[in-house]
Amino acid sequence: QVQLAQSGGGLVQPGGSLRLSCAASGRIFDDFGMGWFRQTPGMEREFVAAISWIGSTYYAESVKGRFTISRDSTKNTVNLQMNSLKPEDTAVYYCAANTLYNPSRDRAYAYDAWGQGTQVTVSS
């Protein structure tokens, strides 16, 4: 079973940058895909980005060109670099692991382990 621990996040002005990290333990890290989702009050969890076990990346249209997902196998971490942040990026961000190889990488139901969530607030 995979355990995920998130770090990063906080308050940033519009146009600024933040980096989120997610450390995985409990299973060989290179064996499964990872993703990032975000959620605002009253809304469903929204896909942000995903990275496959071989390093292929996928992004929501709303973040393409601004966010970058990467994985560091030496540290068992997945990172989300967020640049040119906008107020509409404000949300709680969650990392997730897809250890069952579900092909629906942009759907929350495809992921079977979740981090604790971290708040990202973009405001002047």
Tab-separated table of all heavy atoms in Angstrom, residues 14 17-18 20 29 31 33 38 45-46 51-52 58 62 66-67 72 74-75 79-80 88 112 122:
chain	number	residue	atom	x	y	z
A	14	PRO	N	-0.917	36.895	-7.840
A	14	PRO	CA	-1.122	36.518	-9.250
A	14	PRO	C	0.141	36.729	-10.064
A	14	PRO	O	0.844	37.735	-9.890
A	14	PRO	CB	-2.248	37.467	-9.688
A	14	PRO	CG	-3.003	37.758	-8.431
A	14	PRO	CD	-1.969	37.812	-7.355
A	17	SER	N	4.774	32.017	-8.550
A	17	SER	CA	5.035	30.587	-8.699
A	17	SER	C	5.015	29.887	-7.349
A	17	SER	O	5.342	30.493	-6.323
A	17	SER	CB	6.406	30.368	-9.354
A	17	SER	OG	6.448	30.936	-10.645
A	18	LEU	N	4.660	28.620	-7.397
A	18	LEU	CA	4.726	27.747	-6.233
A	18	LEU	C	5.115	26.353	-6.704
A	18	LEU	O	4.858	25.987	-7.850
A	18	LEU	CB	3.384	27.669	-5.506
A	18	LEU	CG	2.970	28.819	-4.585
A	18	LEU	CD1	1.568	28.576	-4.075
A	18	LEU	CD2	3.949	28.974	-3.432
A	20	LEU	N	4.751	22.288	-5.480
A	20	LEU	CA	4.211	21.274	-4.589
A	20	LEU	C	5.010	19.992	-4.750
A	20	LEU	O	5.416	19.651	-5.861
A	20	LEU	CB	2.745	20.995	-4.912
A	20	LEU	CG	1.795	22.197	-4.906
A	20	LEU	CD1	0.378	21.729	-5.228
A	20	LEU	CD2	1.841	22.926	-3.594
A	29	PHE	N	8.458	3.001	-6.343
A	29	PHE	CA	7.897	4.240	-6.860
A	29	PHE	C	7.728	4.241	-8.366
A	29	PHE	O	6.788	4.815	-8.893
A	29	PHE	CB	8.784	5.402	-6.412
A	29	PHE	CG	8.280	6.746	-6.833
A	29	PHE	CD1	7.084	7.244	-6.340
A	29	PHE	CD2	9.000	7.519	-7.718
A	29	PHE	CE1	6.614	8.482	-6.724
A	29	PHE	CE2	8.547	8.765	-8.106
A	29	PHE	CZ	7.351	9.254	-7.603
A	31	ASP	N	6.784	2.094	-10.339
A	31	ASP	CA	5.897	1.044	-10.801
A	31	ASP	C	4.493	1.540	-11.142
A	31	ASP	O	3.673	0.777	-11.639
A	31	ASP	CB	5.820	-0.036	-9.712
A	31	ASP	CG	5.252	-1.335	-10.227
A	31	ASP	OD1	5.444	-1.621	-11.424
A	31	ASP	OD2	4.617	-2.064	-9.450
A	33	GLY	N	1.603	5.159	-11.977
A	33	GLY	CA	1.415	6.552	-12.350
A	33	GLY	C	0.997	7.408	-11.166
A	33	GLY	O	0.498	6.913	-10.156
A	38	ARG	N	-7.201	19.093	-7.855
A	38	ARG	CA	-7.492	20.211	-6.976
A	38	ARG	C	-8.991	20.295	-6.735
A	38	ARG	O	-9.786	19.806	-7.543
A	38	ARG	CB	-6.955	21.524	-7.546
A	38	ARG	CG	-7.588	21.950	-8.859
A	38	ARG	CD	-6.823	23.143	-9.422
A	38	ARG	NE	-7.416	23.630	-10.678
A	38	ARG	CZ	-6.859	24.555	-11.446
A	38	ARG	NH1	-5.704	25.104	-11.096
A	38	ARG	NH2	-7.477	24.932	-12.559
A	45	ARG	N	-13.572	17.113	-7.231
A	45	ARG	CA	-12.115	17.154	-7.416
A	45	ARG	C	-11.809	17.208	-8.921
A	45	ARG	O	-12.343	16.426	-9.701
A	45	ARG	CB	-11.506	15.917	-6.760
A	45	ARG	CG	-10.091	16.085	-6.316
A	45	ARG	CD	-9.718	15.051	-5.285
A	45	ARG	NE	-10.290	15.352	-3.970
A	45	ARG	CZ	-9.937	14.721	-2.849
A	45	ARG	NH1	-9.045	13.747	-2.888
A	45	ARG	NH2	-10.492	15.035	-1.711
A	46	GLU	N	-10.912	18.126	-9.286
A	46	GLU	CA	-10.620	18.422	-10.689
A	46	GLU	C	-9.214	17.965	-11.055
A	46	GLU	O	-8.249	18.240	-10.314
A	46	GLU	CB	-10.747	19.941	-10.913
A	46	GLU	CG	-10.378	20.425	-12.287
A	46	GLU	CD	-10.274	21.947	-12.365
A	46	GLU	OE1	-10.042	22.583	-11.331
A	46	GLU	OE2	-10.439	22.482	-13.476
A	51	ILE	N	1.426	11.947	-14.484
A	51	ILE	CA	2.660	11.449	-15.072
A	51	ILE	C	2.642	9.930	-14.967
A	51	ILE	O	2.341	9.367	-13.912
A	51	ILE	CB	3.890	12.074	-14.382
A	51	ILE	CG1	5.176	11.670	-15.095
A	51	ILE	CG2	3.954	11.725	-12.898
A	51	ILE	CD1	6.380	12.528	-14.715
A	52	SER	N	2.942	9.258	-16.080
A	52	SER	CA	2.918	7.804	-16.096
A	52	SER	C	4.202	7.238	-15.503
A	52	SER	O	5.166	7.966	-15.233
A	52	SER	CB	2.745	7.295	-17.525
A	52	SER	OG	3.954	7.485	-18.244
A	58	TYR	N	0.595	14.538	-18.764
A	58	TYR	CA	-0.721	14.923	-19.242
A	58	TYR	C	-1.196	16.096	-18.395
A	58	TYR	O	-0.955	16.123	-17.182
A	58	TYR	CB	-1.700	13.757	-19.108
A	58	TYR	CG	-1.174	12.474	-19.705
A	58	TYR	CD1	-0.372	11.616	-18.944
A	58	TYR	CD2	-1.434	12.129	-21.022
A	58	TYR	CE1	0.147	10.458	-19.486
A	58	TYR	CE2	-0.916	10.967	-21.574
A	58	TYR	CZ	-0.126	10.139	-20.801
A	58	TYR	OH	0.390	9.002	-21.353
A	62	SER	N	-6.602	23.953	-18.708
A	62	SER	CA	-6.529	25.194	-17.937
A	62	SER	C	-5.140	25.475	-17.365
A	62	SER	O	-4.855	26.619	-16.986
A	62	SER	CB	-7.557	25.156	-16.802
A	62	SER	OG	-7.303	24.067	-15.936
A	66	ARG	N	1.613	26.324	-18.116
A	66	ARG	CA	1.933	27.031	-16.870
A	66	ARG	C	2.424	26.083	-15.784
A	66	ARG	O	3.266	26.461	-14.961
A	66	ARG	CB	0.699	27.788	-16.373
A	66	ARG	CG	0.157	28.823	-17.324
A	66	ARG	CD	-0.962	29.637	-16.688
A	66	ARG	NE	-2.126	28.820	-16.318
A	66	ARG	CZ	-2.601	28.741	-15.070
A	66	ARG	NH1	-2.025	29.404	-14.082
A	66	ARG	NH2	-3.677	27.996	-14.811
A	67	PHE	N	1.889	24.874	-15.760
A	67	PHE	CA	2.246	23.896	-14.733
A	67	PHE	C	3.112	22.794	-15.362
A	67	PHE	O	2.933	22.439	-16.529
A	67	PHE	CB	1.005	23.247	-14.133
A	67	PHE	CG	0.144	24.135	-13.275
A	67	PHE	CD1	0.329	25.514	-13.238
A	67	PHE	CD2	-0.860	23.589	-12.499
A	67	PHE	CE1	-0.460	26.333	-12.456
A	67	PHE	CE2	-1.675	24.381	-11.701
A	67	PHE	CZ	-1.467	25.762	-11.683
A	72	ASP	N	10.885	12.380	-9.416
A	72	ASP	CA	12.277	12.163	-9.058
A	72	ASP	C	12.368	10.800	-8.380
A	72	ASP	O	12.026	10.667	-7.196
A	72	ASP	CB	12.747	13.274	-8.123
A	72	ASP	CG	14.218	13.169	-7.785
A	72	ASP	OD1	14.815	12.085	-8.007
A	72	ASP	OD2	14.788	14.154	-7.306
A	74	THR	N	14.903	9.121	-7.466
A	74	THR	CA	15.914	9.012	-6.412
A	74	THR	C	15.357	9.435	-5.058
A	74	THR	O	15.851	9.009	-4.021
A	74	THR	CB	17.144	9.860	-6.740
A	74	THR	OG1	16.759	11.239	-6.766
A	74	THR	CG2	17.726	9.483	-8.095
A	75	LYS	N	14.332	10.272	-5.090
A	75	LYS	CA	13.725	10.749	-3.852
A	75	LYS	C	12.302	10.250	-3.660
A	75	LYS	O	11.631	10.613	-2.688
A	75	LYS	CB	13.728	12.284	-3.828
A	75	LYS	CG	15.114	12.897	-3.889
A	75	LYS	CD	15.047	14.416	-3.862
A	75	LYS	CE	16.431	15.036	-3.901
A	75	LYS	NZ	16.366	16.523	-3.909
A	79	ASN	N	6.569	16.138	-8.277
A	79	ASN	CA	6.497	17.572	-8.054
A	79	ASN	C	5.537	18.228	-9.038
A	79	ASN	O	5.350	17.739	-10.157
A	79	ASN	CB	7.878	18.192	-8.205
A	79	ASN	CG	8.881	17.576	-7.262
A	79	ASN	OD1	8.675	17.554	-6.055
A	79	ASN	ND2	9.975	17.046	-7.801
A	80	LEU	N	4.954	19.338	-8.608
A	80	LEU	CA	4.118	20.131	-9.486
A	80	LEU	C	4.625	21.570	-9.400
A	80	LEU	O	4.443	22.239	-8.374
A	80	LEU	CB	2.653	20.055	-9.078
A	80	LEU	CG	1.683	20.777	-10.015
A	80	LEU	CD1	1.616	20.046	-11.369
A	80	LEU	CD2	0.291	20.865	-9.409
A	88	GLU	N	-7.929	31.930	-10.126
A	88	GLU	CA	-8.762	30.741	-10.320
A	88	GLU	C	-8.011	29.444	-10.064
A	88	GLU	O	-8.629	28.373	-10.078
A	88	GLU	CB	-9.374	30.731	-11.731
A	88	GLU	CG	-8.390	30.928	-12.842
A	88	GLU	CD	-8.338	32.374	-13.323
A	88	GLU	OE1	-8.331	33.291	-12.465
A	88	GLU	OE2	-8.299	32.580	-14.551
A	112	ASP	N	-6.035	5.326	-6.216
A	112	ASP	CA	-6.401	4.553	-5.031
A	112	ASP	C	-5.642	4.972	-3.776
A	112	ASP	O	-5.842	4.384	-2.718
A	112	ASP	CB	-6.176	3.063	-5.311
A	112	ASP	CG	-4.812	2.785	-5.874
A	112	ASP	OD1	-4.617	3.031	-7.077
A	112	ASP	OD2	-3.938	2.322	-5.130
A	122	VAL	N	-4.097	32.080	-4.460
A	122	VAL	CA	-3.520	33.071	-5.362
A	122	VAL	C	-4.338	34.346	-5.213
A	122	VAL	O	-5.496	34.411	-5.628
A	122	VAL	CB	-3.526	32.589	-6.816
A	122	VAL	CG1	-2.817	33.615	-7.701
A	122	VAL	CG2	-2.883	31.220	-6.938
